[in-house]
Amino acid sequence: MTAAPVPAPVRAELFGPSRRATTTGLVLLISLVAFESMGVGTAMPALVADLGAVALYAWPFVAFMAASVFGTVLGGRWCDRAGPRVPLVAAPLLFGIGLAVAGTAGAMAQLLVGRVLQGLGAGTMTVAAFVLIAVVYPERARPAVFALISSAWVLPALIGPPVSGVVTEALSWHWVFLGLVPLVLLAVGLVVPAVRQLEPPSGEVAAPRRGLVVAALAAAAGVAGLSWASQQVSLLALGVAAAALGVLVPALLRLLPTGVFRAGRGIPTVVAARGLLAGAFFAINSYLPLMLNGTHGWSLTAAGIPLILGSLGWSCAAAWQGRHPDLSRVTLLRAGFCSVALGAAGMLLVAPAWGVPWLAAPFWVVAGVGMGLGFSSVSYLLLQQSAPSAVGFHSSAAQIADQLTVALMIGLGGALLALFTSPAVALPVLVAGMAGLALLGAAITGRAGAQAFAANTTTLSS
């Protein structure tokens, strides 16, 4: 009897001679997108003051978000049709050009052009990275890859804002953008040898999807409208949000797989899980500093400590699951949802005026652990169940579900604050809703099991 082959150590699959540069380049690319995303908010007050455009404060964020949605959709289609070779080089270069344009801006118009280019590059780059993971790394090594990707987001979340603040004060806000350009070129140089060896897709090619460009533009406009409205408190903002939802609904019928809204078995539930997980966590994460500062009088520095601890919990849990590639990802996804639900429910002991503010730290570590388990599991299940010709489409769908749900839930928080005026009244309602959202995710997780490829290449939602 022939002995079964022993699987290669996971670390060797990631950092062996054939993949060391690829892994390092991927992590660096994601880190750059994350650092720019986390750091620009710190520099924004100085930026708008310098450009004299305080009234347009929200638009650099909105422009990036809308362009990222558009780039995500078209990047997914591009990768499915032609593979990730060209997108993995073109998208980072476009992102780098956007950094240079924004970094040399002397007026808000040029800054917005730079932000649009950055968003297009970031959206396309993220999808292309997922497609590259599906092509290059064996299935058993993917949990460890996604652990590294999680760390690539968590570290910038910790150091991005303070580094951006120091750079802005010591040099100028311009260098928050320009300082990343050399690192973009380095990341591209690391990835190029790997993508050069990739062959164009063979066998089944993704069928054309009519109306994709129009749907992508509509989704970008809808997310931009929701993002802007969530930062305003007025009847105009309410009207813009309603119009944005009216545009988004038909667009999503083209951009998400069939069955997402009814948690269809397989890929539809995986995509829905990505949205539910992100919405429940990031809505509370966005309002946690207000909860501690506005209700309990903590300083902004102290109010940021639970966010840091939550990020560390995320990173540690992602690293742990990466070292256990043989565990069931469906089970880990359910555990992730339950942890996020527990962390969110714990905020009901923090958010009211009578709450105990220091409980935010341990409960948000629990929520962070849930994200570390859940996000990595969603990514693994997505690639596991996708046909080669649909990896780009499914990856873009998951990211759109993420972006849309987060925008909706943050907007809901803004609406509750406008309705109740007091954070001590509004935020308990929000956290209760987000705990319910996480429990809904836990309830549908059993439907995230693998299905045949043929069932996962559909393009319409129901």
Side-chain angles (χ1 to χ4, degrees):
M1 179 180 293
T2 304
V6 178
V10 170
R11 183 173 180 81
E13 298 283 10
L14 270 60
F15 294 104
S18 63
R19 296 198 183 102
R20 186 181 301 121
T22 304
T23 301
T24 304
L26 272 176
V27 172
L28 184 54
L29 283 175
I30 299 299
S31 296
L32 291 172
V33 174
F35 185 87
E36 193 276 342
S37 177
M38 301 297 178
V40 73
T42 305
M44 195 58 65
L47 187 157
V48 297
D50 187 31
L51 298 181
V54 177
L56 301 177
Y57 189 94
W59 281 104
F61 300 103
V62 172
F64 180 90
M65 175 70 76
S68 178
V69 170
F70 189 74
T72 295
V73 174
L74 294 193
R77 181 58 182 160
W78 190 0
C79 289
D80 283 342
R81 295 290 292 175
R85 297 175 66 188
V86 178
L88 270 173
V89 176
L93 292 178
L94 185 63
F95 180 74
I97 292 170
L99 291 172
V101 171
T104 57
M108 181 59 76
Q110 181 177 334
L111 177 73
L112 293 178
V113 170
R115 293 291 285 166
V116 167
L117 294 175
Q118 290 168 43
L120 288 171
T124 302
M125 190 193 323
T126 306
V127 174
F130 272 77
V131 177
L132 182 68
I133 291 169
V135 172
V136 170
Y137 296 93
E139 188 170 300
R140 195 170 182 276
R142 290 174 189 169
V145 178
F146 292 126
L148 290 175
I149 297 297
S150 292
S151 297
W153 274 98
V154 169
L155 186 60
L158 297 175
I159 69 171
V163 169
S164 177
V166 170
V167 170
T168 300
E169 292 175 356
L171 300 172
S172 164
W173 63 263
H174 296 274
W175 288 101
V176 173
F177 299 102
L178 295 176
L180 296 179
V181 174
L183 296 178
V184 171
L185 297 177
L186 173 61
V188 171
L190 290 170
V191 171
V192 162
V195 301
R196 185 181 295 164
Q197 299 174 15
L198 296 179
E199 298 294 333
S202 58
E204 180 189 359
V205 177
R209 297 185 174 100
R210 291 182 299 174
L212 187 67
V213 174
V214 174
L217 287 171
V223 170
L226 286 175
S227 299
W228 180 85
S230 69
Q231 301 176 56
Q232 315 295 321
V233 180
S234 66
L235 289 176
L236 175 61
L238 182 63
V240 170
L245 288 174
V247 170
L248 269 173
V249 171
L252 293 178
L253 296 178
R254 290 285 178 188
L255 301 178
L256 299 181
T258 300
V260 167
F261 298 116
R262 54 179 171 80
R265 188 169 294 278
I267 283 289
T269 291
V270 175
V271 171
R274 171 73 176 261
L276 293 173
L277 203 58
F281 181 84
F282 285 111
I284 298 177
N285 203 65
S286 298
Y287 289 103
L288 186 51
L290 176 62
M291 189 187 302
L292 296 173
N293 174 260
T295 301
H296 297 293
W298 283 25
S299 69
L300 290 176
T301 300
I305 292 175
L307 303 185
I308 294 174
L309 295 177
S311 296
L312 291 174
W314 183 332
S315 182
C316 291
W320 179 86
Q321 66 80 38
R323 290 194 294 270
H324 296 81
D326 300 318
L327 293 177
S328 166
R329 299 300 130 174
V330 172
T331 300
L332 289 181
L333 178 57
R334 183 180 291 111
F337 268 119
C338 290
S339 293
V340 172
L342 178 59
M347 292 301 156
L348 290 173
L349 301 176
V350 177
W354 53 262
V356 183
W358 64 263
L359 288 174
F363 276 114
W364 212 235
V365 170
V366 172
V369 167
M371 291 300 284
L373 297 176
F375 245 53
S376 298
S377 298
V378 164
S379 300
Y380 178 91
L381 291 168
L382 192 77
L383 297 191
Q384 181 192 52
Q385 300 180 46
S386 296
S389 62
V391 173
F393 171 62
H394 290 157
S395 298
S396 67
Q399 290 184 54
I400 290 170
D402 178 328
Q403 294 164 333
L404 176 60
T405 310
V406 170
L408 283 172
M409 294 305 106
I410 291 176
L412 174 63
L416 289 171
L417 285 169
L419 178 64
F420 294 110
T421 66
S422 169
V425 178
L427 295 184
V429 178
L430 178 67
V431 299
M434 296 308 99
L437 207 65
L439 289 175
L440 174 61
I444 68 171
T445 299
R447 302 179 63 81
Q451 296 292 294
F453 285 153
N456 295 327
T457 55
T458 50
T459 62
L460 302 179
S461 287
S462 60

